[in-house]
Amino acid sequence: PAHTIPSPPSPHPLPFSPPTMRIRLSDTFSLAADTLSANRFRAALTMLGVTIGVASVILLVSLGEGVKVFVTDQFASLGTNVIIITPGKAETSGGMPLIADTTEGLTLADAEAVRDRCPSLTAVAPVCFGTANVKFANRNRSTLVIGTVAEFETVRHMHVEVGSFLPNADDVSEKQVAILGRKIKDELFPGENPLGKRILVDDRRFRVIGVMQKKGRSMGMDLDDLIFVPVAAAQEIFNRDRLQEILAHAPTEEGLDRGAVEAKALLISRHDNKEDFTVHNQDDMMAVMTTIMGMLTYALAGIAGISLLVGGIGIMNIMLVSVTERTREIGIRKAVGARKSDIMAQFLIESVILSSAGGLAGVLIGVGVGQGLKTVFPDMPIVFPVWAVLMAFGFSFLVGVFFGVYPARRASRLDPIAALRVE
């Protein structure tokens, strides 16, 4: 019978290819969590850098945002849609703006002209101020005396609580009257009603007709530590026929811009075609301050973000150590069918878990410390914007991804045979 002759073996046998298997992502997460749980202390120390970074970002951004809101509120408390006209032309020559000297200055006639001939401005208040000694009975103190007119109350949003504010500028019969700030009232008339009483302002007698509402401090100035008198009386007290400023109010932002143009053109014509004054827009000043505070906030956040990068470097370092320590484990997993993507996913997930857990701890610490500071120091301006919290946590997540890729790729590329030889 015919016999089948077996074919000779191939001189080049195919190399051994380990079986492959699919590992569920949930299993990879579980394995990563178990691995980190087995080294809790090391994991906690690795997370610490990210935690400090996230907490620092949230605290510094919250402080910056709080200061920005505080400054905005301070400006708003002194009136909105306000233009401020000051004597002297602001000039810039290669450095900080300078106020050029002027011999003309601003007068009451200028303020009256702006009031009567600038239709976009609804309230105009000339201002003359200085420091004078105020006395009642045996009590006296030195304080700020502001000479102005009735429209000042509208322009600066400062209102009387008891009595009335200054009379109209045309009422010359009420020249020697005064309105007291809350602090002055409490010191000169403790527990008394000051209305109708006579006080001495620089040895001139004034009748008290009102007490201002409590205003507190604004832009570094105590708005309760002052008194108001008619502008003409203030000019006599300080022996001055010029004004320090003219304040004007417009009902809308569009009217504010038109009013500034109208006032500028009018005063140039009154001052022999010389622009020896400066028109400031308070809203523009507030916008500049807000922009500066915003830039400062972002700069602080960037500085705090450096600690996040340092924390990310720590994560990458510890993951590289982990790859070295678990080389044999990686070889065994590959030998039984784990793919490169499975190995890479395991180490990348461990890195992300570390950074995300550190980020979450940082959010809790940052918000907790901020709330604690607000409790201890109620006046401290701290605002927790949602975007800052999300940004800090999201950045911590990205740090884990970015600094976890290299260790994960290195682990996935290990040769299984060489890895199994490692003792």
Side-chain angles (χ1 to χ4, degrees):
H3 296 282
T4 302
I5 301 174
S7 58
S10 173
H12 301 289
L14 293 173
F16 168 75
S17 179
T20 59
M21 60 179 179
R22 290 190 173 275
I23 300 177
R24 292 178 301 178
L25 187 61
S26 59
D27 293 335
T28 304
F29 267 100
S30 178
L31 181 60
D34 291 341
T35 303
L36 293 175
S37 179
N39 298 277
R40 293 188 185 91
F41 186 68
R42 186 169 71 179
L45 290 178
T46 305
M47 291 162 39
L48 187 59
V50 176
T51 300
I52 293 173
V54 171
S56 300
V57 169
I58 291 176
L59 276 174
L60 291 178
V61 170
S62 299
L63 281 170
E65 286 294 304
V67 171
K68 186 163 65 173
V69 172
F70 175 77
V71 170
T72 302
D73 291 344
Q74 292 292 297
F75 270 101
S77 69
L78 292 176
T80 55
N81 296 337
V82 177
I83 65 172
I84 305 169
I85 307 171
T86 55
K89 173 62 178 173
E91 298 178 349
T92 303
S93 179
M96 294 293 292
L98 302 174
I99 302 298
D101 188 22
T102 176
T103 56
E104 183 67 22
L106 298 172
T107 64
L108 278 175
D110 288 332
E112 293 168 358
V114 171
R115 180 190 62 189
D116 297 335
R117 297 168 57 183
C118 295
S120 298
L121 301 175
T122 56
V124 177
V127 178
C128 176
F129 58 85
T131 302
N133 191 61
V134 182
K135 183 178 181 181
F136 175 76
N138 61 346
R139 296 182 288 270
N140 69 88
R141 71 190 310 276
S142 179
T143 189
L144 178 66
V145 177
I146 297 179
T148 185
V149 295
E151 286 83 356
F152 185 92
E153 190 177 20
T154 301
V155 175
R156 279 306 191 192
H157 288 183
M158 298 179 67
H159 305 285
V160 293
E161 182 177 27
V162 180
S164 60
F165 198 63
L166 294 171
N168 294 324
D170 298 331
D171 190 355
V172 294
S173 63
E174 290 288 343
K175 182 178 177 182
Q176 302 300 113
V177 294
I179 297 88
L180 307 182
R182 172 59 61 178
K183 189 173 183 179
I184 297 297
K185 182 267 175 191
D186 291 340
E187 293 190 8
L188 295 185
F189 300 93
E192 300 180 45
N193 182 3
L195 298 185
K197 303 289 180 61
R198 302 281 178 172
I199 62 173
L200 292 179
V201 180
D202 195 30
D203 296 329
R204 290 175 171 80
R205 295 175 67 84
F206 286 81
R207 181 170 61 89
V208 178
I209 62 171
V211 177
M212 301 297 294
Q213 293 177 352
K214 186 175 179 60
K215 196 75 172 177
R217 300 187 70 85
S218 178
M219 308 303 292
M221 178 180 175
D222 189 349
L223 299 180
D224 297 323
D225 189 9
L226 47 77
I227 70 170
F228 293 95
V229 299
V231 62
Q235 288 180 316
E236 291 181 1
I237 292 173
F238 303 117
N239 192 25
R240 183 183 300 152
D241 59 357
R242 296 290 186 262
L243 304 173
Q244 274 99 336
E245 60 186 18
I246 298 174
L247 304 177
H249 173 264
T252 64
E253 290 188 14
E254 295 76 13
L256 183 68
D257 295 333
R258 289 196 302 270
V261 172
E262 293 168 359
K264 184 175 181 179
L266 173 63
L267 291 176
I268 287 177
S269 66
R270 288 181 55 82
H271 290 206
D272 299 327
N273 293 321
K274 293 187 297 183
E275 190 178 345
D276 55 356
F277 57 89
T278 302
V279 179
H280 306 276
N281 184 330
Q282 180 168 293
D283 289 358
D284 290 342
M285 294 166 60
M286 183 167 61
V288 170
M289 287 294 296
T290 302
T291 301
I292 293 173
M293 296 309 302
M295 293 174 62
L296 180 61
T297 299
Y298 299 141
L300 292 174
I303 293 172
I306 294 175
S307 58
L308 265 176
L309 295 178
V310 174
I313 294 173
I315 289 176
M316 183 172 66
N317 180 57
I318 207 66
M319 293 307 298
L320 288 172
V321 171
S322 181
V323 169
T324 302
E325 291 177 346
R326 297 156 61 188
T327 300
R328 188 172 180 82
E329 173 195 330
I330 295 168
I332 294 173
R333 293 195 64 199
K334 280 195 166 187
V336 297
R339 298 166 298 175
K340 285 184 176 181
S341 58
D342 297 325
I343 302 298
M344 186 171 182
Q346 177 187 350
F347 283 88
L348 190 57
I349 287 172
E350 289 182 22
S351 174
V352 170
I353 290 176
L354 282 172
S355 63
S356 299
L360 180 60
V363 169
L364 295 176
I365 292 174
V367 173
V369 171
Q371 291 290 358
L373 289 174
K374 286 187 69 174
T375 302
V376 178
F377 306 103
D379 295 334
M380 179 174 288
I382 298 180
V383 175
F384 297 101
V386 176
W387 65 264
V389 175
L390 296 177
M391 178 196 70
F393 182 77
F395 194 59
S396 69
F397 177 84
L398 293 177
V399 162
V401 173
F402 181 79
F403 287 100
V405 167
Y406 175 70
R409 283 173 61 88
R410 181 172 175 179
S412 68
R413 290 180 177 180
L414 285 178
D415 179 52
I417 298 176
L420 288 170
R421 289 174 181 166
V422 175
E423 295 294 336

